[in-house]
Amino acid sequence: MSLLSTHRRLATVAGVFLAIAVILSGVWLLARDSSPTTLQPADTPGTSTTEPAQPSTPSPGTSHATMTVRVFFHRGPGDDPTAVMAVRRTVPESPKVATAALRQLVSGPTGAERHDGYWSPFSKATAGMLRTVKIKDRVGYADFRDYREELRNSTSSAGSAALLAELDATFKQFGTVRSTVYSINGDVPAFYEWLQMTPPDGFGPTLADARRAARAFLTDVVGMRDPVVRASRWRSDFIATVDVRAGSPTGPISTVTLGKGKSSFTVLDVTTGTIVVDRPAAAITPSDLEVVTSPMTISGRALAFEGNVAVRVVAIRQGTVRQVGTGQVIGGGDVMRPFTGQISFTNPRSGTGWVLAFERSARDGTIIKATAVRVAFVQQPA
């Protein structure tokens, strides 16, 4: 066989193999392009899913897996404060998906999202305000740092509805969350009172309860007639104050300070700006109460009509209020002036009570302002 013939045969075989390879490559490409494609459904307002997080593989050049969570914001003119729409956020992969979603929510919309018409009560100012997230018995609990100053516009009816719409839609997208409870620094009533709403059942007394307790104390213990609440507020997570007027819509303010318990409030003291009692000294806890015996020295500063400040000593035993002594001291009639005096009273058996210093109306004798200091009694030796 000649050398030329051999080369021709080899070229023919190579051509056959090349043709086969091209055919097989075309079949593989056709099969790949015809395989089914999974499409993500479009987000709709309030859509719920039991698996909202979409895990993904690490991006090229990175070693950390990510996932996609959905966060619900408002979009457009905001005629309906309850209408929200979902946006997707890519975050580091984590088993705490609800925490990741709420953390993204409180950071507010991004610049690009705002450009697309999304808006929210939350913003960069509230980023990082989420403290804890817990889901138990299909109830979602989210606790936040105190962001009330950053969300001052949320106290209106529309503002609170918009805030809760975003929180609930983001939290309730998870199938394990049927209802929600929110709190500020662990205080559930504080969150809902801030929004002028009633907290969920079983979460302690509210400011409305504080107002009722303040009025009851001023009526039953101090002896005010029809005290009217002018303002109430949380001074801390466990202390509330209630401002009250009696006798006139423009009369002096008496402020009742109350401590919050699990189901009720306890009155800690009552103060008014123009009757200051220095002795006996005010105390917060029962262990710090000043022990008084008869005769008792009372001193301080006051401004009252003709300087007259009335004093009563009352004992409280098993919920019953009993007056055990009365007297009077003289302060200033034109400016605040110091007063001091001795008040005799019948020593009750051991227990607690109040020393009340107050001014009566010159018109009808009703009590118009008061300061109350809680005290302790001891049995005097015979």
Side-chain angles (χ1 to χ4, degrees), residues 240-260:
T241 58
V242 180
D243 295 338
V244 177
R245 279 195 173 106
S248 168
T250 59
I253 290 286
S254 298
T255 299
V256 185
T257 302
L258 307 99
K260 185 186 76 171

Side-chain angles (χ1 to χ4, degrees), residues 282-307:
I284 298 299
T285 63
S287 61
D288 294 331
L289 296 180
E290 184 167 331
V291 177
V292 296
T293 57
S294 181
M296 176 196 71
T297 297
I298 180 171
S299 62
R301 293 167 291 122
L303 168 61
F305 179 69
E306 295 183 346

Side-chain angles (χ1 to χ4, degrees), residues 90-105:
T90 299
V91 298
E93 189 171 6
S94 168
K96 298 181 178 181
V97 185
T99 300
L102 288 171
R103 186 172 288 126
Q104 291 296 310
L105 174 68

Side-chain angles (χ1 to χ4, degrees), residues 52-74:
Q54 303 291 333
S56 60
T57 56
S59 303
T62 67
S63 59
H64 301 291
T66 61
M67 64 184 182
T68 301
V69 295
R70 296 193 308 167
V71 178
F72 288 82
F73 294 126
H74 290 78

Side-chain angles (χ1 to χ4, degrees), residues 50-51 225 236 259 270 289 294 296 354 364:
T50 56
E51 297 180 355
R225 182 187 301 173
S236 70
V270 182
L289 296 180
S294 181
M296 176 196 71
W354 294 86
D364 58 12

Side-chain angles (χ1 to χ4, degrees), residues 193-233:
E193 290 285 356
W194 165 58
L195 297 180
Q196 302 180 50
M197 302 175 66
T198 301
D201 293 338
F203 284 95
T206 67
L207 274 182
D209 297 315
R211 291 190 288 269
R212 284 190 288 269
R215 291 189 74 254
F217 181 87
L218 292 174
T219 301
D220 300 339
V221 179
V222 176
M224 276 189 181
R225 182 187 301 173
D226 298 325
V228 178
V229 173
R230 294 301 178 187
S232 58
R233 68 194 68 80

Side-chain angles (χ1 to χ4, degrees), residues 272-286:
T272 188
T274 51
I275 301 178
V276 178
V277 175
D278 298 321
R279 183 181 179 190
I284 298 299
T285 63

